[in-house]
Coordinates of all heavy atoms in Angstrom, one line a residue:
M1 N 0.8 -1.3 0.0 CA 0.0 0.0 0.0 C 0.9 1.3 0.0 O 2.0 1.2 0.5 CB -0.9 0.1 1.2 CG -0.3 0.0 2.4 SD -1.4 0.4 3.8 CE -1.7 2.1 3.6
P2 N 0.4 2.3 -0.5 CA 1.2 3.6 -0.5 C 1.5 4.2 0.9 O 0.6 4.0 1.8 CB 0.3 4.6 -1.4 CG -1.1 4.0 -1.2 CD -1.1 2.7 -1.0
A3 N 2.4 5.0 1.0 CA 2.7 5.6 2.3 C 2.0 7.0 2.4 O 1.8 7.5 3.4 CB 4.3 5.8 2.4
K4 N 1.5 7.4 1.1 CA 0.9 8.8 1.2 C -0.4 8.6 0.3 O -0.5 7.9 -0.6 CB 1.7 9.9 0.4 CG 2.8 10.4 1.4 CD 3.4 11.6 0.7 CE 4.6 12.1 1.7 NZ 5.2 13.3 1.1
L5 N -1.4 9.4 0.6 CA -2.6 9.4 -0.1 C -3.2 10.8 0.0 O -3.0 11.7 0.8 CB -3.7 8.5 0.7 CG -3.8 7.0 0.4 CD1 -4.9 6.5 1.3 CD2 -4.0 6.7 -1.0
E6 N -4.1 11.1 -0.9 CA -4.8 12.4 -1.0 C -5.9 12.3 0.0 O -6.5 11.2 0.1 CB -5.4 12.6 -2.3 CG -4.3 12.6 -3.5 CD -4.0 14.1 -3.9 OE1 -5.0 14.8 -4.1 OE2 -2.8 14.4 -4.0
A7 N -6.3 13.4 0.5 CA -7.4 13.4 1.5 C -8.8 13.1 0.7 O -8.9 13.3 -0.5 CB -7.6 14.7 2.2
G8 N -9.7 12.5 1.5 CA -10.9 12.3 1.0 C -11.3 10.8 1.0 O -11.0 10.1 1.9
K9 N -12.3 10.4 0.2 CA -12.9 9.1 0.2 C -11.8 8.1 -0.4 O -11.3 8.4 -1.5 CB -14.2 8.9 -0.3 CG -15.4 9.6 0.4 CD -16.6 9.5 -0.2 CE -17.7 10.3 0.6 NZ -19.1 10.1 -0.1
T10 N -11.5 7.1 0.3 CA -10.6 6.1 -0.2 C -11.1 4.7 0.2 O -11.9 4.4 1.0 CB -9.2 6.2 0.7 OG1 -8.7 7.4 0.4 CG2 -8.3 5.2 0.2
A11 N -10.8 3.8 -0.9 CA -11.2 2.5 -0.7 C -9.9 1.7 -0.6 O -9.1 1.6 -1.5 CB -12.1 1.9 -1.9
F12 N -9.7 0.8 0.5 CA -8.6 0.1 0.6 C -9.0 -1.4 0.3 O -9.9 -2.0 0.8 CB -8.0 0.0 2.1 CG -7.5 1.2 2.7 CD1 -8.0 2.1 3.4 CD2 -6.2 1.6 2.2 CE1 -7.5 3.2 3.9 CE2 -5.6 2.8 2.7 CZ -6.3 3.6 3.6
V13 N -8.5 -2.0 -0.8 CA -8.7 -3.2 -1.2 C -7.6 -4.1 -0.5 O -6.5 -4.1 -0.8 CB -8.7 -3.4 -2.7 CG1 -9.0 -4.9 -3.1 CG2 -9.7 -2.4 -3.4
V14 N -8.1 -4.8 0.4 CA -7.2 -5.6 1.2 C -7.2 -7.2 0.8 O -8.3 -7.9 1.0 CB -7.6 -5.5 2.8 CG1 -6.6 -6.4 3.6 CG2 -7.6 -4.2 3.2
K15 N -6.1 -7.6 0.2 CA -6.1 -9.0 -0.3 C -5.2 -9.8 0.6 O -4.1 -9.4 0.9 CB -5.7 -9.0 -1.7 CG -5.7 -10.3 -2.4 CD -5.4 -10.3 -3.8 CE -5.8 -11.6 -4.6 NZ -5.0 -12.8 -4.0
N16 N -5.7 -10.9 1.2 CA -4.8 -11.7 2.0 C -4.2 -12.7 1.1 O -4.7 -13.8 0.7 CB -5.6 -12.3 3.1 CG -4.7 -13.1 4.1 OD1 -3.6 -13.4 3.8 ND2 -5.4 -13.6 5.1
A17 N -2.8 -12.5 0.8 CA -2.1 -13.5 0.1 C -1.4 -14.6 0.9 O -0.6 -15.3 0.4 CB -1.1 -12.8 -1.0
G18 N -1.5 -14.4 2.2 CA -0.8 -15.3 3.1 C -1.6 -16.5 3.5 O -2.6 -16.8 2.9
K19 N -1.1 -17.1 4.5 CA -1.7 -18.4 4.9 C -2.4 -18.3 6.2 O -3.2 -19.2 6.8 CB -0.7 -19.5 5.1 CG -0.1 -20.0 3.7 CD 0.8 -21.2 3.9 CE 1.0 -21.9 2.5 NZ 1.6 -21.0 1.6
E20 N -2.4 -17.0 6.9 CA -3.0 -16.7 8.1 C -4.2 -15.8 8.1 O -4.1 -15.1 7.0 CB -2.0 -16.4 9.2 CG -1.0 -17.3 9.6 CD 0.1 -16.7 10.5 OE1 -0.2 -16.3 11.5 OE2 1.2 -16.4 10.1
K21 N -5.0 -15.8 8.9 CA -6.0 -14.8 8.9 C -5.5 -13.3 9.3 O -4.7 -13.4 10.3 CB -7.2 -15.1 9.8 CG -8.0 -16.3 9.5 CD -9.1 -16.4 10.6 CE -10.0 -17.5 10.1 NZ -11.1 -17.9 11.2
H22 N -5.9 -12.3 8.6 CA -5.3 -11.1 8.9 C -6.6 -10.0 8.9 O -7.6 -10.2 8.4 CB -4.4 -10.4 7.8 CG -3.2 -11.3 7.7 ND1 -2.1 -11.2 8.7 CD2 -2.7 -12.0 6.8 CE1 -1.2 -12.0 8.2 NE2 -1.5 -12.5 7.3
N23 N -6.3 -8.9 9.6 CA -7.3 -7.8 9.6 C -6.7 -6.7 9.2 O -5.4 -6.7 8.9 CB -7.9 -7.7 11.1 CG -9.4 -7.2 10.9 OD1 -9.7 -6.2 10.3 ND2 -10.3 -7.9 11.6
F24 N -7.3 -5.5 9.1 CA -6.8 -4.3 8.6 C -7.4 -3.1 9.5 O -8.6 -3.0 9.4 CB -7.1 -4.2 7.2 CG -6.6 -3.0 6.5 CD1 -5.3 -3.0 5.9 CD2 -7.3 -1.8 6.2 CE1 -4.7 -1.9 5.4 CE2 -6.8 -0.8 5.5 CZ -5.5 -0.8 5.1
R25 N -6.5 -2.5 10.2 CA -7.1 -1.5 11.1 C -6.5 0.0 10.8 O -5.3 0.1 10.5 CB -6.8 -1.7 12.6 CG -7.4 -0.8 13.5 CD -7.2 -1.3 15.0 NE -7.9 -0.5 16.0 CZ -7.8 -0.7 17.2 NH1 -6.9 -1.4 17.7 NH2 -8.4 0.2 18.1
V26 N -7.2 0.8 10.6 CA -6.8 2.3 10.3 C -7.1 3.0 11.5 O -8.3 3.3 11.9 CB -7.6 2.8 9.1 CG1 -7.1 4.2 8.7 CG2 -7.3 2.0 7.9
Q27 N -6.1 3.8 12.1 CA -6.4 4.6 13.2 C -5.8 6.0 13.1 O -4.5 6.0 12.6 CB -5.8 3.9 14.5 CG -6.5 2.8 15.1 CD -5.6 2.1 16.2 OE1 -4.7 1.4 15.9 NE2 -6.1 2.4 17.3
G28 N -6.4 7.0 13.5 CA -5.9 8.4 13.6 C -6.9 9.4 13.3 O -7.8 9.1 12.5
D29 N -6.7 10.5 13.8 CA -7.6 11.7 13.4 C -9.1 11.3 13.7 O -9.8 11.6 12.8 CB -7.2 12.3 12.2 CG -7.7 13.8 12.2 OD1 -8.0 14.2 13.2 OD2 -7.6 14.4 11.0
G30 N -9.4 10.7 14.7 CA -10.9 10.4 14.9 C -11.3 9.1 14.1 O -12.5 8.8 14.3
V31 N -10.5 8.5 13.4 CA -11.0 7.3 12.6 C -10.3 6.2 13.3 O -9.3 6.1 13.7 CB -10.2 7.5 11.3 CG1 -10.6 6.1 10.4 CG2 -10.9 8.6 10.4
D32 N -11.2 5.1 13.5 CA -10.7 3.8 14.0 C -11.6 2.7 13.3 O -12.7 2.4 13.8 CB -10.8 3.8 15.5 CG -10.2 2.5 16.1 OD1 -9.8 1.7 15.2 OD2 -10.0 2.4 17.2
E33 N -11.1 2.2 12.3 CA -11.8 1.2 11.5 C -11.1 -0.1 11.3 O -9.9 0.0 11.2 CB -12.2 1.8 10.1 CG -13.1 3.1 10.0 CD -14.5 2.7 10.3 OE1 -14.8 1.6 9.9 OE2 -15.2 3.7 10.4
K34 N -11.9 -1.0 11.5 CA -11.3 -2.4 11.0 C -12.4 -3.3 10.6 O -13.6 -3.0 10.8 CB -10.4 -3.0 12.3 CG -11.4 -3.4 13.4 CD -10.6 -4.3 14.4 CE -11.5 -5.2 15.1 NZ -10.7 -6.3 15.8
F35 N -12.0 -4.4 9.9 CA -13.1 -5.3 9.5 C -13.7 -6.0 10.7 O -12.9 -6.4 11.5 CB -12.5 -6.3 8.5 CG -12.1 -5.8 7.2 CD1 -10.7 -5.8 6.7 CD2 -12.9 -4.9 6.4 CE1 -10.2 -5.3 5.6 CE2 -12.5 -4.4 5.3 CZ -11.2 -4.7 4.8
L36 N -15.0 -6.3 10.6 CA -15.6 -7.0 11.6 C -15.1 -8.5 11.7 O -14.9 -9.0 12.8 CB -17.1 -7.0 11.3 CG -18.1 -7.0 12.4 CD1 -18.0 -5.8 13.4 CD2 -19.5 -7.0 11.9
L37 N -14.9 -9.1 10.6 CA -14.4 -10.3 10.5 C -13.0 -10.2 9.8 O -12.8 -9.5 8.9 CB -15.3 -11.4 9.7 CG -16.7 -11.5 10.3 CD1 -17.6 -12.2 9.3 CD2 -16.5 -12.2 11.6
D38 N -12.0 -11.2 10.2 CA -10.7 -11.3 9.5 C -10.9 -11.5 8.0 O -11.8 -12.1 7.7 CB -9.8 -12.4 10.2 CG -9.4 -12.0 11.7 OD1 -9.4 -10.7 12.0 OD2 -9.1 -12.7 12.5
V39 N -9.9 -11.2 7.4 CA -9.7 -11.6 5.9 C -9.0 -12.9 6.0 O -7.9 -13.1 6.4 CB -8.9 -10.6 5.2 CG1 -9.1 -10.9 3.7 CG2 -9.5 -9.2 5.3
K40 N -9.7 -14.0 5.4 CA -9.2 -15.2 5.3 C -8.1 -15.3 4.2 O -8.2 -14.6 3.3 CB -10.3 -16.3 5.1 CG -11.3 -16.5 6.2 CD -12.4 -17.4 5.7 CE -13.6 -17.2 6.5 NZ -14.8 -17.6 5.8
P41 N -7.2 -16.3 4.2 CA -6.3 -16.5 3.1 C -7.0 -16.6 1.8 O -8.1 -17.2 1.6 CB -5.5 -17.8 3.5 CG -5.7 -17.9 5.0 CD -7.0 -17.3 5.4
D42 N -6.4 -15.9 0.9 CA -7.0 -15.9 -0.7 C -8.2 -15.2 -0.7 O -9.0 -15.2 -1.8 CB -7.2 -17.3 -1.2 CG -5.8 -18.0 -1.4 OD1 -4.8 -17.2 -1.8 OD2 -5.7 -19.4 -1.1
D43 N -8.7 -14.5 0.3 CA -9.9 -13.8 0.3 C -9.5 -12.3 0.3 O -8.3 -11.9 0.5 CB -10.7 -14.0 1.6 CG -12.3 -13.8 1.3 OD1 -12.6 -13.2 0.3 OD2 -12.9 -14.1 2.2
S44 N -10.4 -11.4 -0.1 CA -10.1 -9.9 -0.1 C -11.5 -9.2 0.4 O -12.6 -9.6 0.3 CB -9.7 -9.4 -1.4 OG -10.6 -9.8 -2.3
K45 N -11.2 -8.0 1.0 CA -12.2 -7.2 1.4 C -12.0 -5.8 1.2 O -10.8 -5.4 0.8 CB -12.5 -7.3 3.1 CG -13.0 -8.7 3.5 CD -13.1 -8.6 5.0 CE -13.5 -10.0 5.6 NZ -14.9 -10.2 6.0
V46 N -13.0 -4.9 1.1 CA -12.8 -3.5 0.7 C -13.3 -2.7 1.9 O -14.4 -2.9 2.4 CB -13.6 -3.2 -0.5 CG1 -13.4 -1.7 -0.9 CG2 -13.2 -4.0 -1.7
M47 N -12.4 -1.8 2.3 CA -12.8 -0.8 3.3 C -12.8 0.5 2.8 O -11.9 1.1 2.3 CB -11.6 -0.9 4.5 CG -12.0 0.1 5.6 SD -10.8 0.2 6.8 CE -11.0 -1.4 7.6
H48 N -14.1 1.3 3.0 CA -14.3 2.6 2.5 C -14.1 3.5 3.7 O -14.8 3.3 4.7 CB -15.7 2.8 2.0 CG -15.8 2.0 0.7 ND1 -15.5 2.5 -0.5 CD2 -16.3 0.7 0.6 CE1 -15.8 1.5 -1.3 NE2 -16.3 0.4 -0.6
V49 N -13.2 4.4 3.6 CA -13.0 5.5 4.7 C -12.9 6.9 4.1 O -12.5 6.9 2.9 CB -11.7 5.2 5.6 CG1 -12.0 4.1 6.5 CG2 -10.5 4.8 4.7
N50 N -13.2 7.8 4.9 CA -13.1 9.2 4.4 C -12.0 9.8 5.3 O -12.2 9.9 6.5 CB -14.3 9.8 4.7 CG -14.5 11.1 3.9 OD1 -13.5 11.7 3.3 ND2 -15.6 11.9 3.9
L51 N -10.8 10.0 4.8 CA -9.7 10.4 5.5 C -9.3 11.9 5.3 O -9.3 12.5 4.3 CB -8.3 9.7 5.2 CG -8.5 8.1 5.4 CD1 -7.3 7.5 4.8 CD2 -8.8 7.8 6.8
K52 N -9.3 12.6 6.5 CA -8.7 14.0 6.6 C -7.1 14.0 6.5 O -6.6 13.1 6.8 CB -9.2 14.7 7.8 CG -10.7 14.8 7.8 CD -11.1 15.6 9.1 CE -11.5 14.6 10.2 NZ -11.9 15.2 11.4
P53 N -6.6 15.2 6.2 CA -5.2 15.2 6.3 C -4.7 14.9 7.6 O -5.3 15.3 8.7 CB -4.9 16.7 5.9 CG -6.0 17.1 5.0 CD -7.2 16.3 5.6
G54 N -3.6 14.2 7.7 CA -3.1 13.7 9.0 C -2.3 12.5 8.7 O -2.0 12.0 7.7
T55 N -2.0 12.0 10.0 CA -1.1 10.7 10.1 C -1.8 9.5 10.5 O -2.5 9.9 11.7 CB 0.2 11.0 10.9 OG1 0.9 12.2 10.3 CG2 1.1 9.7 10.9
Y56 N -1.9 8.5 10.1 CA -2.6 7.3 10.4 C -1.8 6.2 10.6 O -0.7 5.9 9.9 CB -3.7 7.0 9.4 CG -4.7 8.2 9.2 CD1 -4.5 9.2 8.4 CD2 -6.0 8.2 9.9 CE1 -5.4 10.2 8.4 CE2 -6.9 9.1 9.7 CZ -6.6 10.3 8.9 OH -7.5 11.3 8.8
Q57 N -2.2 5.3 11.6 CA -1.4 4.1 11.7 C -2.3 2.9 11.1 O -3.5 2.8 11.3 CB -1.3 3.7 13.2 CG -0.6 4.9 14.0 CD 0.8 5.1 13.4 OE1 1.5 4.2 13.1 NE2 1.1 6.3 13.5
I58 N -1.6 2.1 10.2 CA -2.2 1.0 9.7 C -1.7 -0.3 10.4 O -0.5 -0.5 10.4 CB -2.0 0.9 8.3 CG1 -2.2 2.2 7.4 CG2 -2.8 -0.3 7.6 CD1 -3.7 2.5 7.4
T59 N -2.6 -1.1 10.9 CA -2.1 -2.3 11.6 C -2.9 -3.4 11.3 O -4.0 -3.4 10.8 CB -2.0 -2.0 13.1 OG1 -3.5 -1.7 13.5 CG2 -1.2 -1.0 13.6
C60 N -2.4 -4.6 11.6 CA -3.2 -5.9 11.6 C -3.2 -6.2 13.1 O -2.1 -6.6 13.8 CB -2.3 -6.9 10.8 SG -3.1 -8.5 11.2
P61 N -4.4 -6.3 13.6 CA -4.5 -6.6 15.1 C -4.0 -7.9 15.5 O -3.8 -8.2 16.6 CB -6.1 -6.4 15.3 CG -6.5 -5.5 14.2 CD -5.7 -5.8 13.1
N62 N -4.0 -8.7 14.5 CA -3.6 -10.2 14.7 C -2.1 -10.3 14.8 O -1.6 -11.3 15.2 CB -4.1 -11.1 13.7 CG -5.7 -11.1 13.6 OD1 -6.3 -10.4 14.3 ND2 -6.0 -11.6 12.6
H63 N -1.4 -9.4 14.1 CA 0.1 -9.5 14.0 C 0.8 -8.2 14.5 O 0.8 -7.3 13.7 CB 0.6 -9.9 12.7 CG -0.1 -11.3 12.3 ND1 -1.3 -11.4 11.6 CD2 0.3 -12.6 12.7 CE1 -1.5 -12.7 11.4 NE2 -0.6 -13.4 11.9
E64 N 1.4 -8.1 15.6 CA 2.0 -6.9 16.1 C 3.1 -6.3 15.3 O 3.3 -5.2 15.2 CB 2.5 -7.3 17.5 CG 2.1 -6.2 18.6 CD 2.6 -6.6 19.9 OE1 3.9 -6.5 20.0 OE2 2.0 -7.1 20.6
D65 N 3.7 -7.0 14.4 CA 4.8 -6.7 13.6 C 4.3 -6.2 12.3 O 5.1 -5.6 11.5 CB 5.9 -7.7 13.3 CG 5.1 -9.0 12.6 OD1 4.0 -9.3 13.1 OD2 5.9 -9.6 11.8
M66 N 3.0 -6.3 12.0 CA 2.4 -5.6 10.8 C 1.9 -4.3 11.0 O 0.7 -4.1 11.4 CB 1.4 -6.6 10.2 CG 1.8 -7.9 9.9 SD 0.5 -9.0 9.2 CE 0.3 -8.4 7.6
K67 N 2.8 -3.2 10.7 CA 2.4 -1.9 10.9 C 2.9 -0.9 9.9 O 4.0 -1.2 9.4 CB 2.5 -1.3 12.3 CG 3.6 -1.9 13.1 CD 3.8 -1.2 14.4 CE 3.8 -2.1 15.6 NZ 4.4 -1.5 16.7
R68 N 2.2 -0.1 9.5 CA 2.6 1.0 8.5 C 2.1 2.3 9.0 O 1.2 2.5 9.7 CB 2.0 0.8 7.2 CG 2.4 -0.5 6.4 CD 3.7 -0.4 5.8 NE 4.2 -1.6 5.1 CZ 3.8 -1.9 3.9 NH1 3.0 -1.1 3.2 NH2 4.1 -3.1 3.5
T69 N 2.8 3.4 8.5 CA 2.3 4.7 8.8 C 1.8 5.3 7.4 O 2.4 5.1 6.4 CB 3.4 5.6 9.4 OG1 3.9 5.0 10.5 CG2 2.9 7.0 9.6
L70 N 0.8 5.8 7.4 CA 0.1 6.4 6.3 C 0.0 8.0 6.5 O -0.6 8.4 7.5 CB -1.3 5.9 6.0 CG -2.2 6.4 5.0 CD1 -1.5 6.1 3.6 CD2 -3.5 5.9 5.0
T71 N 0.4 8.7 5.6 CA 0.3 10.1 5.7 C -0.7 10.5 4.6 O -0.7 10.3 3.4 CB 1.6 10.7 5.2 OG1 2.6 10.4 6.2 CG2 1.5 12.3 5.3
V72 N -1.7 11.3 5.0 CA -2.8 11.9 4.2 C -2.6 13.4 4.1 O -2.6 14.1 5.1 CB -4.2 11.5 4.7 CG1 -5.3 12.1 3.8 CG2 -4.4 9.9 4.9
E73 N -2.5 13.8 2.8 CA -2.4 15.3 2.5 C -3.6 16.1 2.0 O -4.3 15.3 1.1 CB -1.1 15.4 1.6 CG 0.1 14.9 2.2 CD 1.4 14.9 1.3 OE1 1.2 14.8 0.2 OE2 2.4 15.2 1.8
Ligands
CU1 CU1 -2.1 -10.2 10.2

């Protein structure tokens, strides 16, 4: 996924190409979204969010080492 995005409505298409269940959490600036159910291997889900300019943390709640910082401009 990109490290930077334009502010506004965004759709994250989250594809699980691994062998374990993953989730996708976006946190920051009043936003805290994740999938109700994990994304299974070989499955994909779409998350629609409206992001204001700021810094967001992207994490997988199932795996502590999976994190990214997203900058929205
Ligand atoms: Cu994970």
Side-chain angles (χ1 to χ4, degrees):
M1 61 167 288
K4 275 189 186 183
L5 278 181
E6 302 255 316
K9 288 183 181 169
T10 295
F12 291 107
V13 180
V14 181
K15 186 172 192 304
N16 185 354
K19 291 190 161 58
E20 296 175 66
K21 288 181 182 175
H22 295 289
N23 208 307
F24 185 82
R25 188 176 187 188
V26 182
Q27 288 173 281
D29 203 9
V31 173
D32 188 355
E33 294 280 344
K34 66 171 207 165
F35 293 122
L36 216 54
L37 299 172
D38 288 340
V39 185
K40 293 178 203 157
D42 292 322
D43 208 354
S44 58
K45 290 184 192 251
V46 182
M47 178 184 289
H48 296 271
V49 280
N50 197 352
L51 299 177
K52 291 181 270 181
T55 304
Y56 297 82
Q57 302 305 317
I58 310 290
T59 57
C60 169
N62 302 354
H63 299 94
E64 229 173 75
D65 57 321
M66 297 178 78
K67 25 175 133 159
R68 295 277 179 89
T69 300
L70 172 69
T71 303
V72 176
E73 295 177 325

